[in-house]
Amino acid sequence: MTFGQLPYDVAHLLGGGMLLLSFMLLYQRRVGAVVNALATQGALLAAAAAWQGFVQDAPQLYLTALIALGAKAVLIPLALRLLIRRLALARGVDTALGIGPSLLAGVALVALSILVALPITTGVAAMAREDLAIALSVVLLGMLMMITRRNAILQVVGLMSLENGLVLAAVGVAGMPLVVELSTAALVMLVLVVAGVFVFQIRGRFDSVDIALLHPHRGEGG
Amino acid sequence: MLTALALGLLGFPLLAALALPLGRRGGLVVHGGSAGLCLLLALAAGGSLGFGLPEGVLGLPFGPAWGGAGLAMDGLSAWFLLLLGLAGASASVFALGGPPRGLVAWPLFLFGMALALLAADSFTLLLGFEAMSVASWALVALDHREESNRAAARLYLVFAALAGLCLVAAFGLLGAVEFAAIRAVPPEGWRANAVLVLALLGAGTKAGLVPLHAWLPLAHAAAPSHASALMSGVMTKVALYVLARLLLDLAGPVQPGWWGLPLLALGAASAVFGALRANLEEDTKTLLACSTIEHVGLVTMGLGLALLFRGADLGALAALAAGAALLHALAHGLFKTLLFLVAGAVLHAAGSRRLDRLGGLIHAMPRTAVLALVGLGAAAALPPLSGFASEWLLLQALLAGWRLDEFGAQMAAAAALALVAMAAALAAAAMLRFFGMAFLGRPRSPRGAGAREAGRFELLALLLPAGLTLLIGLVPGAALALAEPAIRLLAGAAQVPAQGIAQGVGLAAGEGQAGLLPLSVALLLGLAGVGAWAVIRWRSPGATRRGPVWNCGFIDPPEHLIFGDPLSQPSAAGLAQPLRRMLGGALLAGREAVAMPSPGETRPARLEAGFADPSGRFLLTPAARLRDAVAAQVERLRDLSIRGCLSMAFGTLVGLLALLAWLEGG
Amino acid sequence: MLILGSILVQLLHLALVLAAAPLVIGLVRWLKARMMGRRGASPLQPWRDLLKLLRKRPVLAENASVISEVAPFAGFAATAVAVALVPSFARGMLLAPVGDLVLLAGLLALARMALALAGMDVGTAFGGMGAAREMSFSAFAEPALLLCVLTFAILAGTTNLDAVSATFHDGALGLRVSLGLAAVAMLAVAVAENGRIPVDNPATHLELTMVHEAMLLEASGRHLALWDYAAALRLTLWLALVAAVFLPFGAAPAGSGPLAWLVGLLAWAVKMGGLCLMLAGFESAVAKMRVFRVPEFLGAALLLALLAAALLFVSTGLA
């Protein structure tokens, strides 16, 4: 596949859109906007999966798309919004690393993933390596989000975005069995539930969801 | 030709010698003579660039025992000599209008620079370079009654010594003394890399590259205006000439492309850092000195790019980058001379260098203001002035950076492109702040309100660089055609560019597809302006009325404030606020603090704002600590016995002999 | 014949853009009013305002210098030349060889400098504040713009706008992530350069949040008319630039006849109308951000443009 071929172009553009949204996640200062961006990313992922299903003629990918759309674009964002409202959490984003520096670090990570993806994919069609680089970038940006944000909710969002990147990489490869996709989705659901409970627990004990407050209770040092 | 040049050079020390017996009346002779000699140098350099360079080397009757000293002029020397002649002439004419000071040091300063540029061997070059350093130090230390000037001169001396030492070591590593001999056997391996590091340290210090720039804003502000003009406009260029000579010529055509990366990185850092700091400084000359750091960075980036392209066998692009570096060096040398002389004229007329004590000078000094606009437009890279033409070339070279075949180099070029654009925008902001504070608005002090137009010598001195800035901006192609031998030298002699970057009077890049025709742009601008003026005259004939300033209905000042309420005018720190907050906090440790009085207290609230250059914290403070530590260690030597002293001398002797044996063996 | 055609196209383009610029402003205002449920003034209103301003005698402050009288013309001239270089309905205009993207940035910088100088001329607090902010924003907008230019230069091999537009039209480049990212960055720069929401509010006269308007506080009569006209031209320029690069379809190729021009004209009108609708919708949907959030906004645009270039290095197999 090369440029100018519609199947490839659309898939490529959807991947690029997801990368753009990963940057939006890093850029936003309000939790509500972050959740919106996450929902959009989920919707794009669903579209990417559906498109791949159409192109590769693999009906199971439609199911993946449906799961992505239902869970990531609708249910989980709704749940997160509910959490925010129920807990009356602060609407602002509490950063450990400023917005500008984290964006800069994000671009550095993309450059890194390009550098990593290049040698691995020599021999593959020149176009596939850009896709791999994009998926890897989305994963790394999700991790960056988890590291650089203090709110527990945002860390959950980072985890979700990371998982989106993994799924994006998975649907791009022809013949990927659905089992893996289902299990990863279930895993993330599980993690989300755990995280939700976690949030409630912290809230109950410390009146805050700032995880820095947990450190004195770790029992190390004194 | 070379003999005539050498005799002309001898005129400078002669003038310096004349200054002593003539005493205070010597100003006219020394400065007038310097101006004449500089014009002759410029004529000679321009003539040889246009009609053929002199061949061969003129041997000098002195020099080291192991090699002769000599003078020669190739394209690179002639190009920088042209700049020296033009800028030196304007600065000398400007000095005629002021009190005769530094009469011995001034011709020697010019002499040193010319000697360094014309040298055909490392001995002569270093001789000229050191003469330049010492003479300029004397000029910096001229107003030594002020404590700050003494500190500036001290710091400058230390950095000049560092630069000299590094360059001596770099030239020493090259093996031979004559340039021709060095070119025949270029350095290889670790020796070449050591030359790279030493050249960057030595020439970079003198040119004011970040992080070795700490001396530059202080020294340039302390020297008399005509001296700071030349230090900023030409002396930094002589350092860049040495850098180019060492890395792009003497080190041979075989050096790897990555040599360009440190130059690119240091240049980009200098460009952004200098331009940002120029936005925060509150002293006209310090501000201009910081802008010099920026432009030196841009020239260095051009040289680095030329090295990168040379390493990738892209001859035409290397020529483009080299052309950008050379044109920008000339353009900056001229407009920065102009701007420093403007700052000098303002200092004479309004009695201050502080932006917060100037203002409204456009009413008192309209001619100076117009000439200043030319200079600052070029510094802000606005079309159709010289700064835009050269930065256009640099940007085109960076835009072609993707042709380098390594991802790292491509990304470096892309990042450098962004940084150059940012530096250009920051420079525009700094120049607006300079002009807006000094020339626009209302006077901020009684002394400034009584300013008069600059004298005729000063105006004449401003006219030359301003005219050249406009001329180079309009016909950059013609200027670059003169630089062709130098471009060929920098782009690697083996790879002569297929097409010139100078097309007629315009410029071309990217295999001739992108072009710049400033003459037509200027014509269009004039046409649009005149057209708009004609239409407006026809549709809106009413005369302009004058009335009190509106200022959003801000209350009129009380009677006793004859300049209006000073607090309702922007201050230097206030204008710097957006950039101090946006970029200064991260890069220059900018800070703002509000001291509020507690309730009931009568003192006013105060807003403190400032910044600190990180080079002070990370370079100067540790260096001072190291100096103290070394001094404490050396103090212990004084308590040694005679036997101890003798053994030290003996040890040194044996060590030197061993070194000699090793060098001859290897 | 070819030369005559290019001269004719150039003149028609100039007349078209000069006539359309106030209409573009009027259209955006009208669309915004409609979206907010107001009736809104007719799109012709900016033209009427300009003519009315021309009839009024300008009042200058007592200590205003010659800058206040010359800068409006300089700013207008720079913007007008810039707008003459951006193709609208046809390519291959007389000035196409001059139309370089870097030169375009330079001309816009010249216009910005003229405006900032005029803002500082009288020495009022608001003028200085506006000038300092405008110049500071450009320190982020210009690098972002040039990185977008880098993306175009890699794909088209040149920075000549006419050639870039032609390449993007003819060369089957497909939908590229890099171009998408560059488009987002370019739109962000366009919003900032034109002082639209969320960077600046063109309708505000609340002193502390003004940027562009703050520099015009002392201008009146024909000077204000020139500044307003230049601002309208600048908005038109940016929309036309976006249209020429990212939506090059429909424009008449170089050396074509009047029929192709007519088609190009229609296509241009549709494109500009669509962009105005997008702008109005965007402005109605978002809130103005704090002044010191703008560097983050433009910095994000800058990084996106850098990303676009980086992905292009990979996908074109250059690396």
Side-chain angles (χ1 to χ4, degrees):
Chain A
M1 285 193 289
T2 54
F3 280 117
Q5 292 177 345
L6 193 67
Y8 180 74
D9 277 354
V10 172
H12 194 54
L13 210 60
L14 289 171
M18 285 186 62
L19 182 59
L20 185 63
L21 281 164
S22 279
F23 273 97
M24 290 272 285
L25 288 177
L26 280 176
Y27 169 73
Q28 291 294 349
R29 269 191 195 279
R30 277 170 305 167
V31 177
V34 169
V35 174
N36 281 348
L38 181 71
T40 321
Q41 197 180 37
L44 272 186
L45 177 66
W51 181 255
Q52 288 290 353
F54 170 67
V55 172
Q56 296 174 12
D57 208 9
Q60 72 270 25
L61 284 182
Y62 289 121
L63 190 59
T64 310
L66 212 62
I67 295 173
L69 189 69
K72 286 173 187 151
V74 182
L75 285 180
I76 292 178
L78 276 182
L80 286 176
R81 283 182 171 282
L82 195 72
L83 266 177
I84 295 169
R85 200 170 323 139
R86 283 257 313 266
L87 294 172
L89 296 178
R91 304 285 165 88
V93 170
D94 190 6
T95 58
L97 186 67
I99 300 273
S102 45
L103 283 175
L104 215 64
V107 171
L109 285 179
V110 175
L112 180 70
S113 54
I114 288 174
L115 279 176
V116 171
L118 275 183
I120 300 175
T121 52
T122 42
V124 185
M127 301 305 137
R129 48 194 202 171
E130 193 176 336
D131 269 354
L132 189 65
I134 288 179
L136 186 57
S137 308
V138 173
V139 171
L140 288 179
L141 287 178
M143 277 187 194
L144 182 70
M145 175 121 184
M146 291 181 69
I147 300 169
T148 57
R149 299 292 180 266
R150 288 219 176 88
N151 316 38
I153 289 268
L154 291 181
Q155 298 191 326
V156 172
V157 169
L159 185 65
M160 296 278 311
S161 162
L162 186 156
E163 200 264 346
N164 284 348
L166 287 179
V167 176
L168 179 68
V171 298
V173 183
M176 181 91 178
L178 183 65
V179 190
V180 178
E181 162 59 11
L182 272 177
S183 62
T184 36
L187 181 74
V188 169
M189 283 297 277
L190 201 70
V191 169
L192 187 76
V193 172
V194 169
V197 173
F198 186 58
V199 168
F200 277 105
Q201 285 287 322
I202 315 171
R203 171 80 184 163
R205 271 193 214 151
F206 305 109
D207 269 343
S208 164
V209 281
D210 190 338
I211 52 167
L213 293 178
L214 281 177
H215 290 169
H217 300 271
R218 281 203 306 198
E220 302 167 8
Chain B
M1 179 73 197
L2 278 174
T3 322
L5 262 178
L7 287 177
L9 280 192
L10 274 184
F12 286 119
L14 207 65
L15 283 175
L18 268 180
L20 286 176
L22 281 174
R24 294 195 60 80
R25 285 165 298 140
L28 198 65
V29 177
V30 171
H31 289 137
S34 302
L37 282 176
C38 282
L39 276 182
L40 283 181
L41 281 187
L43 265 182
S48 1
L49 281 173
F51 303 105
L53 293 157
E55 297 280 330
V57 175
L58 174 75
L60 291 181
F62 61 92
W66 59 91
L71 296 182
M73 182 157 72
D74 60 0
L76 197 60
S77 315
W79 182 255
F80 282 89
L81 199 65
L82 179 67
L83 167 64
L84 169 65
L86 295 171
S90 352
S92 300
V93 171
F94 185 87
L96 281 175
R101 296 191 314 152
L103 294 183
V104 179
W106 180 251
L108 286 180
F109 183 34
L110 291 166
F111 172 72
M113 288 193 281
L115 192 65
L117 291 177
L118 285 173
D121 62 296
S122 37
F123 173 76
T124 318
L125 190 144
L126 287 171
L127 191 70
F129 198 83
E130 290 309 310
M132 167 183 95
S133 291
V134 172
S136 57
W137 171 76
L139 289 166
V140 170
L142 210 56
D143 289 319
H144 52 78
R145 273 186 291 278
E146 277 179 49
E147 169 58 29
S148 63
N149 288 357
R150 282 205 299 278
R154 255 198 316 273
L155 193 64
Y156 177 41
L157 196 62
V158 171
F159 273 95
L162 173 70
L165 274 180
C166 290
L167 283 181
V168 167
F171 278 108
L173 277 176
L174 286 175
V177 174
E178 289 100 345
F179 287 166
I182 298 174
R183 280 189 205 105
V185 192
E188 281 169 11
W190 69 268
R191 207 188 282 250
N193 292 340
V195 167
L196 172 69
V197 172
L198 286 170
L200 275 177
L201 274 176
T205 302
K206 201 75 188 156
L209 285 181
V210 168
L212 298 166
H213 64 283
W215 62 274
L216 197 142
L218 297 174
H220 287 203
S225 301
H226 62 288
S228 17
L230 221 51
M231 284 172 74
S232 217
V234 187
M235 190 178 80
T236 52
K237 302 304 177 308
V238 173
L240 288 173
Y241 160 83
V242 173
L243 190 69
R245 176 69 77 194
L246 263 172
L247 297 185
L248 282 91
D249 178 23
L250 296 181
V254 289
Q255 301 311 336
W258 66 261
W259 270 39
L261 284 178
L263 269 77
L264 199 63
L266 287 179
S270 307
V272 171
F273 221 72
L276 179 63
R277 206 177 142 184
N279 273 295
L280 305 184
E281 291 290 351
E282 298 181 6
D283 176 301
T284 51
K285 280 164 85 173
T286 314
L287 178 165
L288 291 173
C290 291
S291 144
T292 298
I293 299 177
E294 179 217 338
H295 291 282
V296 162
L298 294 180
V299 178
T300 313
M301 288 175 86
L303 294 177
L305 265 182
L307 272 171
L308 274 172
F309 285 133
R310 257 170 64 163
D313 275 337
L314 295 163
L317 290 176
L320 181 67
L326 289 173
L327 191 63
H328 197 67
L330 181 70
H332 174 252
L334 289 170
F335 71 66
K336 192 47 66 69
T337 303
L338 169 65
L339 286 174
F340 262 106
L341 295 183
V342 164
V346 165
L347 175 62
H348 291 176
S352 182
R353 294 193 327 230
R354 290 186 51 78
L355 289 177
D356 277 330
R357 303 189 66 77
L358 302 170
L361 290 176
I362 193 171
H363 300 286
M365 313 170 74
R367 295 193 188 120
T368 315
V370 170
L371 295 171
L373 264 183
V374 172
L376 71 90
L382 297 180
L385 296 164
S386 64
F388 179 75
S390 52
E391 290 193 22
W392 185 86
L393 275 181
L394 183 61
L395 287 172
Q396 287 291 350
L398 284 167
L399 281 169
W402 56 274
R403 289 179 202 264
L404 295 165
D405 50 3
E406 256 179 69
F407 181 67
Q410 289 172 336
M411 279 305 278
L417 174 74
L419 291 176
V420 169
M422 182 179 267
L426 286 174
M431 290 303 131
L432 171 80
R433 182 166 165 267
F434 170 49
F435 191 81
M437 289 295 291
F439 288 95
L440 302 181
R442 301 184 303 272
R444 290 180 177 80
S445 67
R447 180 78 176 77
R452 305 262 289 278
E453 179 61 284
R456 63 203 151 95
F457 280 127
E458 298 186 342
L459 280 178
L460 186 68
L462 296 182
L463 212 55
L464 176 70
L468 284 169
T469 297
L470 201 60
L471 189 71
I472 295 175
L474 288 179
V475 290
L480 265 188
L482 284 183
E484 189 161 354
I487 294 176
R488 210 178 295 252
L489 189 80
L490 293 186
Q495 311 149 338
V496 180
Q499 290 157 295
I501 41 178
Q503 293 213 332
V505 293
L507 302 172
E511 284 128 26
Q513 286 200 39
L516 177 70
L517 259 176
L519 210 55
S520 62
V521 174
L523 203 69
L524 287 173
L525 281 174
L527 218 62
V530 170
W533 182 78
V535 171
I536 294 276
R537 272 294 293 262
W538 165 53
R539 295 289 308 175
S540 163
T544 308
R545 264 194 304 148
R546 294 271 169 170
V549 64
W550 152 233
N551 198 12
C552 271
F554 208 83
I555 195 164
D556 280 343
E559 283 292 314
H560 62 274
L561 288 174
I562 46 172
F563 304 128
D565 190 345
L567 294 179
S568 71
Q569 261 207 100
S571 67
L575 277 181
Q577 185 231 27
L579 280 172
R580 189 170 52 236
R581 282 202 192 164
M582 289 172 188
L583 284 170
L587 294 180
L588 281 173
R591 62 196 148 69
E592 280 174 21
V594 183
M596 290 295 279
S598 45
E601 233 180 314
T602 52
R603 89 188 149 86
R606 287 189 65 81
L607 174 71
E608 303 275 354
F611 70 96
D613 196 316
S615 86
R617 191 153 43 104
F618 293 113
L619 191 75
L620 294 188
T621 317
R625 211 173 294 138
L626 184 70
R627 178 200 61 199
D628 290 347
V630 169
Q633 290 295 318
V634 172
E635 277 296 300
R636 283 175 40 200
L637 289 182
R638 304 210 308 187
D639 299 337
L640 286 182
S641 62
I642 290 184
R643 211 172 48 80
C645 290
L646 280 177
S647 57
M648 297 248 337
F650 179 68
T652 312
L653 183 65
V654 171
L656 284 175
L657 285 174
L659 182 67
L660 191 64
W662 179 67
L663 280 180
E664 283 179 344
Chain C
M1 199 57 217
L2 209 62
I3 293 282
L4 271 181
S6 67
I7 292 177
L8 194 61
V9 172
Q10 183 70 58
L11 289 178
L12 283 176
H13 161 74
L14 204 57
L16 172 70
V17 179
L18 287 178
L23 289 181
V24 168
I25 291 269
L27 185 64
V28 173
R29 280 190 202 151
W30 183 76
L31 285 169
K32 263 174 83 176
R34 281 296 177 175
M35 287 178 189
M36 293 171 183
R38 289 184 282 119
R39 278 185 59 201
S42 137
L44 282 174
Q45 190 58 39
W47 260 122
R48 293 184 198 131
D49 290 346
L50 284 180
L51 294 178
K52 186 175 173 187
L53 278 175
L54 274 186
R55 279 202 301 278
K56 300 208 165 205
R57 279 177 72 183
V59 184
L60 283 180
E62 276 144 359
N63 66 333
S65 71
V66 67
I67 294 272
S68 285
E69 299 192 59
V70 174
F73 291 95
F76 172 79
T79 318
V81 172
V83 90
L85 302 180
V86 180
S88 58
F89 66 93
R91 289 188 293 274
M93 296 188 295
L94 179 67
L95 293 179
V98 188
D100 180 75
L101 280 163
V102 181
L103 174 67
L104 209 63
L107 287 170
L108 290 174
L110 182 62
R112 190 187 308 127
M113 185 66 127
L115 178 61
L117 281 174
M120 292 193 70
D121 187 32
V122 190
T124 54
F126 294 120
M129 183 194 73
R133 285 182 178 175
E134 175 94 351
M135 299 307 272
S136 310
F137 291 163
S138 75
F140 296 88
E142 283 205 358
L145 173 62
L146 273 169
L147 282 175
C148 294
V149 173
L150 175 64
T151 312
F152 310 150
I154 296 174
L155 287 173
T158 175
T159 54
N160 186 291
L161 184 53
D162 201 67
V164 168
S165 184
T167 312
F168 283 20
H169 181 254
D170 306 331
L173 293 171
L175 301 161
R176 289 205 174 198
V177 173
S178 307
L179 273 184
L181 292 177
V184 174
M186 190 113 162
L187 288 173
V189 174
V191 163
E193 287 275 302
N194 286 296
R196 311 296 300 190
I197 295 174
V199 172
D200 187 11
N201 186 351
T204 188
H205 279 277
L206 177 66
E207 289 90 341
L208 290 178
T209 63
M210 289 188 294
V211 179
H212 182 256
E213 299 298 317
M215 289 180 276
L216 301 181
L217 280 174
E218 300 295 327
S220 56
R222 52 174 170 260
H223 301 145
L224 186 58
L226 274 173
W227 286 128
D228 281 351
Y229 201 10
L233 278 177
R234 196 174 46 195
L235 181 63
T236 315
L237 180 150
W238 275 98
L239 296 184
L241 187 63
V242 169
V245 174
F246 296 108
L247 314 165
F249 53 81
S256 51
L259 197 67
W261 295 351
L262 211 61
V263 175
L265 200 62
L266 269 178
W268 193 66
V270 170
K271 284 184 265 186
M272 292 297 277
L275 286 171
C276 285
L277 191 67
M278 259 178 63
L279 180 63
F282 182 67
E283 283 203 303
S284 308
V286 299
K288 184 184 174 310
M289 58 175 68
R290 287 177 56 218
V291 168
F292 289 99
R293 271 282 272 166
V294 174
E296 268 171 25
F297 175 73
L298 287 172
L302 196 156
L303 291 176
L304 281 184
L306 188 63
L307 209 59
L311 285 178
L312 211 53
F313 293 150
V314 179
S315 68
T316 41
L318 292 165

